[in-house]
Amino acid sequence: MDKNISFTLKVWRQNGPTAKGHFDTFEMKDIPGDTSFLEMLDILNEQLIEARQEPFVFDHDCREGICGMCSLYINGHPHGPATGATTCQLYMRRFKDGDVITVEPWRSAAFPVIKDCMVDRGAFDKIIQAGGYTTVRTGQPQDANAILIPKEDADEAMDCATCIGCGACVAACKNGSAMLFVSSKVSQLALLPQGRPEAAKRAKAMVMTMEELGFGNCTNTRACEAECPKNESIANIARLNREFISAKLAD
Ligand code: FES
């Protein structure tokens, strides 16, 4: 049984994208160590509602590490101190009695604050939309063995597809670059034969949309890879660069 801890919680409050923000400080008492970070914030909000104060706004949905909605910058790290885990998979046992825990939103020009620590990540949806569709021929179902895919390629494509689009890579990057996200999404299709017909068009369109939306350039600091909750590799960025350059050459 994890022991209870008491700590100081500082949370970022901001009324909108252009409003001035500030930290509110709360003393949290006797929180069980097996409480998840989001459950701890639920406890804070219950206390605020009981005191007739405005609850703290933060994003969340599945609370199982699969939807990519939770997006808190905790003590200087996207998703907090745990590696390979999202905010919803972080438990209070990671912290010590008497700690000061600071919670901020993803800070990026491309992710404007909606309220408090909820940011608008619609820019990622626009990049995905720019990538377009994957050709799927309809008609008679094909034999399962008609398109043979080497196991290494299938495994690598699946690793790339585990990117949940949370935006931690952008939050971690001093340039606010979205290259790890875009390269993972390009790679998950480029590695499979079904993704090849539109591969060049897809890489070009997604990179250009990323640039238009105000994301920064990649300078290979590898902060994105270090902080990604799904352990996406920057080898994907090299693949995206190759796809992009060959598409430009083909033009
Ligand atoms: S709430 Fe879905 S990944 Fe955290």
Side-chain angles (χ1 to χ4, degrees):
M1 181 81 181
D2 293 312
K3 63 181 178 123
N4 292 2
I5 59 167
S6 298
F7 52 90
T8 302
L9 182 67
K10 297 173 77 174
V11 295
W12 184 256
R13 311 302 297 261
Q14 186 173 335
N15 273 332
T18 53
K20 195 169 164 7
H22 66 277
F23 283 105
D24 275 351
T25 303
F26 302 97
E27 295 304 325
M28 303 299 289
K29 302 278 180 216
D30 287 327
I31 303 294
D34 58 5
T35 307
S36 78
F37 201 85
L38 296 185
E39 286 166 347
M40 180 275 292
L41 293 176
D42 292 339
I43 293 171
L44 168 69
N45 276 345
E46 279 166 17
Q47 292 173 359
L48 288 174
I49 290 165
E50 270 174 31
R52 298 193 173 278
Q53 291 176 32
E54 203 174 332
F56 168 60
V57 177
F58 58 98
D59 255 336
H60 58 99
D61 191 2
C62 71
R63 298 199 175 202
E64 293 181 329
I66 49 177
C67 75
M69 281 300 285
C70 56
S71 50
L72 298 175
Y73 204 82
I74 303 162
N75 285 356
H77 294 276
H79 297 297
T83 50
T86 53
T87 300
C88 59
Q89 295 172 307
L90 177 65
Y91 284 81
M92 297 315 296
R93 65 177 79 96
R94 296 287 309 208
F95 300 93
K96 294 194 303 291
D97 213 34
D99 270 357
V100 176
I101 302 174
T102 307
V103 182
E104 298 170 77
W106 285 175
R107 296 197 189 274
S108 160
F111 292 157
V113 169
I114 296 171
K115 190 163 171 56
D116 297 346
C117 285
M118 176 188 276
V119 300
D120 179 358
R121 281 170 289 175
F124 269 14
D125 297 331
K126 291 189 179 120
I127 294 172
I128 292 290
Q129 282 163 5
Y133 57 86
T134 302
T135 298
V136 177
R137 296 191 191 286
T138 54
Q140 288 295 314
Q142 286 196 11
D143 184 275
N145 291 322
I147 305 175
L148 296 177
I149 301 169
K151 182 172 186 319
E152 298 75 34
D153 290 354
D155 287 350
E156 206 176 348
M158 186 55 81
D159 286 345
C160 298
T162 58
C163 166
I164 52 176
C166 63
C169 48
V170 176
C173 178
K174 65 175 183 171
N175 308 318
S177 171
M179 282 292 272
L180 190 62
F181 164 72
V182 176
S183 64
S184 299
K185 294 299 162 197
V186 163
S187 294
Q188 76 187 38
L189 298 173
L191 282 161
L192 299 175
Q194 294 90 339
R196 292 310 312 168
E198 292 96 3
K201 204 169 97 196
R202 180 181 305 112
K204 259 191 315 185
M206 290 176 83
V207 168
M208 284 161 72
T209 305
M210 172 182 73
E211 286 174 0
E212 281 164 23
L213 291 169
F215 291 100
N217 293 320
C218 173
T219 51
N220 289 313
T221 66
R222 304 186 74 159
C224 54
E225 184 183 58
E227 301 284 7
C228 174
K230 297 296 170 183
N231 300 316
E232 293 298 330
S233 164
I234 60 159
N236 295 345
I237 297 179
R239 184 179 299 104
L240 171 63
N241 287 335
R242 287 196 298 275
E243 292 286 335
F244 185 76
I245 290 167
S246 38
K248 284 297 224 186
L249 288 175
D251 279 353

